[in-house]
């Protein structure tokens, strides 16, 4: 391997399998984290819209607190501070839970905007039919609320994927940390960092295209 070669293709092919495994691992973290964020965000949105202040105020406080503090601090708290209170999480669990909680608060606001956009008459008609709250949300409100917010949810999915390198701060070996480890072992950073950047670019573009296709399928005639 020549020291004058800026980009060594042979070395790039050699490290490609390790980076591919790290990329799959990173995508897995993103999928699990985003699934949790979708559920947690919906729960927070419903609580914030509640007429009971005992429910709406704590939900609002959680959303504003999490949105106003850096993801890195939240990860440090989960991984390094919680053990002081007797709750120890693995790096993977803390990282996935932390990024899910962080984005659930952003997703909650997206849900809230979608729910607020549902015409008032839909709610009144459901009440007139004496439908249960579960049927109202699952059959009438949510289908109408989710269609227009799919692009925003897709943007947060891509943003979460691009934020996964922050998890390396608590020793989660995701794509970027794997590239850094390869660089520190081989003293060549150009190839691993470049390949990691390409993986992030390609996966982000593919996800964006899939979200656009989903948006087109959900669009009303």
């Amino acid at each position: 391997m020549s020291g004058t070669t800026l980009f060594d293709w042979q070395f790039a092919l050699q490290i490609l399998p390790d980076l591919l495994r790290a990329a799959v691992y990173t995508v897995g973290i993103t999928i699990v984290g985003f699934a949790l964020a979708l559920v947690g965000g919906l729960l927070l949105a419903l609580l914030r819209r509640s007429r009971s202040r005992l429910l709406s105020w704590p939900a609002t406080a959680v959303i504003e607190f999490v949105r106003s503090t850096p993801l890195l601090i939240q990860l440090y708290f989960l991984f390094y501070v919680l053990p002081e209170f007797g709750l120890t999480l693995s790096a993977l669990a803390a990282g996935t839970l932390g990024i899910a909680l962080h984005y659930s608060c952003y997703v909650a606001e997206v849900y809230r905007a979608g729910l607020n956009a549902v015409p008032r008459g839909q709610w009144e008609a459901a009440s007139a039919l004496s439908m249960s709250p579960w049927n109202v949300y699952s059959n009438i409100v949510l289908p109408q609320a989710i269609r227009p917010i799919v692009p925003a949810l897709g943007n947060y999915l891509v943003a979460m994927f691009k934020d996964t390198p922050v998890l390396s701060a608590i020793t989660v070996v995701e794509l970027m940390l794997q590239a850094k480890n390869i660089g520190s072992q081989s003293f060549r950073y150009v190839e691993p960092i470049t390949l990691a950047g390409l993986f992030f670019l390609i996966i982000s573009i593919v996800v964006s295209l899939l979200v656009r296709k989903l948006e087109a399928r959900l669009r009303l005639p």
Side-chain angles (χ1 to χ4, degrees):
M1 184 166 57
S2 174
T4 59
T5 303
L6 178 61
F7 191 93
D8 191 322
W9 288 99
Q10 184 177 357
F11 179 63
L13 291 174
Q14 179 183 338
I15 65 176
L16 187 59
D18 290 335
L19 291 175
L20 278 173
R21 283 192 290 270
V24 172
Y25 188 67
T26 303
V27 170
I29 293 174
T30 305
I31 292 174
V32 174
F34 194 68
L36 293 175
L38 288 177
V39 176
L42 179 59
L43 179 61
L44 286 171
L46 295 178
L47 290 176
R48 186 166 188 176
R49 286 174 51 85
S50 173
R51 296 178 180 178
S52 171
R53 293 182 178 180
L54 293 176
L55 297 176
S56 62
W57 284 14
T60 301
V62 169
I63 291 172
E64 295 304 323
F65 176 79
V66 172
R67 281 161 52 94
S68 301
T69 53
L71 172 59
L72 183 59
I73 291 179
Q74 296 162 17
L75 293 173
Y76 272 30
F77 183 86
L78 290 174
F79 190 63
Y80 294 111
V81 177
L82 282 186
E84 300 293 331
F85 298 94
L87 180 57
T88 302
L89 299 174
S90 66
L92 177 60
T96 305
L97 182 61
I99 202 168
L101 174 61
H102 185 80
Y103 274 91
S104 66
C105 293
Y106 288 93
V107 169
E109 293 302 282
V110 175
Y111 276 128
R112 192 163 68 95
L115 292 170
N116 290 340
V118 176
R120 183 70 181 175
Q122 300 289 325
W123 300 88
E124 294 173 350
S127 298
L129 294 173
S130 300
M131 297 180 65
S132 66
W134 169 256
N135 285 329
V136 172
Y137 274 102
S138 61
N139 297 323
I140 296 178
V141 175
L142 284 179
Q144 297 182 68
I146 289 178
R147 280 194 181 95
I149 65 175
V150 166
L153 294 177
N155 289 338
Y156 280 127
L157 173 59
V158 174
M160 177 184 285
F161 174 65
K162 293 190 294 185
D163 270 351
T164 52
V166 180
L167 305 186
S168 64
I170 58 172
T171 71
V172 176
V173 186
E174 43 65 57
L175 178 57
M176 198 61 205
L177 183 56
Q178 181 66 28
K180 181 181 176 182
N181 290 341
I182 292 173
S184 62
Q185 293 167 6
S186 63
F187 301 103
R188 288 196 65 98
Y189 286 91
V190 174
E191 293 85 0
I193 298 300
T194 301
L195 289 176
L198 287 175
F199 280 137
F200 275 107
L201 176 63
I202 293 170
I203 294 173
S204 296
I205 291 175
V206 170
V207 172
S208 297
L209 292 176
L210 291 175
V211 170
R212 289 182 184 178
K213 291 191 68 174
L214 178 61
E215 179 187 359
R217 288 178 63 89
L218 293 177
R219 186 179 298 124
L220 293 175

